[in-house]
Amino acid sequence: MNILSLFDGMSCGRIAAERAGIKVDNYYASELDKYAIQVTQANWPNTVQLGDVTKWREWDIDWSSIDLLIGGSPCQGFSFAGKQLAFDDPRSALFFEYLNILNHIKSVNPDVKFMLENVKMKKEYLDVISNLLGVEPVLINSSLVSAQNRQRYYWANWEFIVPNDTGVCWGDIRENNAPECHYYTAKGLAWINRHSERTGKKLRIWPNNGKCQMLEASMFKNYSGQRFFAVDDIKGLRYISLLECERAQTVPDNYTNHVSNTQRYKMLGNGWTVDVIAHIFESLTTLGSV
């Protein structure tokens, strides 16, 4: 297949295609973050980087050759955790660039397949996207195939079902005796205690037989209200390691080990749970589309 990935990030879609058994002839990626591009090119050097999605009319590609369009347009405007500006947020308004590109490809290749991912959102926003794409989404929690709770909507113009629960738990992916740099310092623990007293919020320690919370781009911050959890390890309490973030997103171990730790946390928080995408792609193979 020839795949065009918008808002590509670190190319989780490329990993998923391989995992689903799809032979990729050409993988075109639209991404601006230089660190995510660096990780992609380190792992998939033949990726064709196209740049800014808003300049798609300038791209020198054969649009009729695109078999699959994928993307997860920025979600900040839709997320319940944000201000919910929806399409008034310029980041979430980039959905319309995805739509414009999809419609352009359809005009030269009516058989093109597409998949869009986004966060849980108000029904009114959901309905706008669904009506414009002409398909209804499927809500999937990554916890079914990974050790992470992460609910996302997936729109596609082929049929697929929610995956079976694989039973993966936090204990299956955690590191024991993680690197020293991941442990909370005395100063950090003091902040945690103050935050707990001020908010009445108890520090959550993830049990081995449970799930970790949804990864976020802010995971690089050592101490914050969003990051109010701990892993109980040999040397004491710590936060999630980079290897654990990769495993929570079902990304290969050390896949992101080409940039700084801060950038790795950010892109993993922004990334896809690969095994969810691979599951959706596998339905394409049963349809005979690949």
Side-chain angles (χ1 to χ4, degrees), residues 14-212:
R14 183 65 181 82
I15 310 171
E18 180 179 75
R19 204 165 286 178
I22 295 174
K23 181 182 180 296
V24 178
D25 295 319
N26 294 290
Y27 189 90
Y28 301 98
S30 173
E31 179 55 52
L32 289 179
D33 186 277
K34 65 179 182 180
Y35 302 105
I37 292 172
Q38 189 174 332
V39 167
T40 290
Q41 298 306 127
N43 288 280
W44 312 102
N46 292 328
T47 300
V48 180
Q49 294 289 342
L50 299 172
D52 190 344
V53 71
T54 66
K55 297 180 180 179
W56 64 269
R57 293 172 182 83
E58 302 173 13
W59 294 347
D60 183 21
I61 60 175
D62 178 4
W63 293 102
S64 65
S65 74
I66 301 301
D67 302 296
L68 175 63
L69 175 69
I70 62 175
S73 55
C75 62
Q76 292 90 342
F78 301 125
S79 174
F80 286 109
K83 296 180 180 179
Q84 298 184 55
L85 297 175
F87 300 108
D88 291 330
D89 187 310
R91 295 165 296 184
S92 295
L94 288 172
F95 159 73
F96 292 104
E97 297 294 350
Y98 179 98
L99 182 67
N100 290 336
I101 290 171
L102 174 60
N103 288 334
H104 179 67
I105 297 173
K106 282 182 176 180
S107 71
V108 291
N109 177 14
D111 297 324
V112 66
K113 301 298 183 184
F114 69 85
M115 188 211 71
L116 177 76
E117 174 266 3
N118 221 300
V119 296
K120 284 192 72 176
M121 63 184 75
K122 287 183 176 179
K123 188 176 184 301
E124 60 187 284
Y125 310 151
L126 194 72
D127 288 345
V128 170
I129 294 174
S130 300
N131 289 336
L132 289 170
L133 292 178
V135 296
E136 292 298 318
V138 176
L139 180 65
I140 299 177
N141 192 332
S142 295
S143 64
L144 294 171
V145 297
S146 76
Q148 174 194 191
N149 275 305
R150 189 183 191 87
Q151 296 192 80
R152 292 291 187 270
Y153 280 111
Y154 300 90
W155 291 260
N157 62 339
W158 68 89
E159 289 190 11
F160 64 93
I161 60 174
V162 174
N164 293 325
D165 191 342
T166 58
V168 180
C169 295
W170 167 246
D172 297 322
I173 70 163
R174 65 164 292 169
E175 283 191 270
N176 292 300
N177 197 17
E180 193 75 33
C181 61
H182 297 303
Y183 286 85
Y184 288 124
T185 63
K187 181 180 179 181
L189 289 172
W191 181 91
I192 287 171
N193 287 332
R194 290 195 303 272
H195 182 78
S196 182
E197 292 172 0
R198 183 173 65 252
T199 62
K201 187 177 179 181
K202 186 177 180 180
L203 181 69
R204 184 180 173 220
I205 298 177
W206 296 336
N208 283 340
N209 62 351
K211 304 283 185 178
C212 67

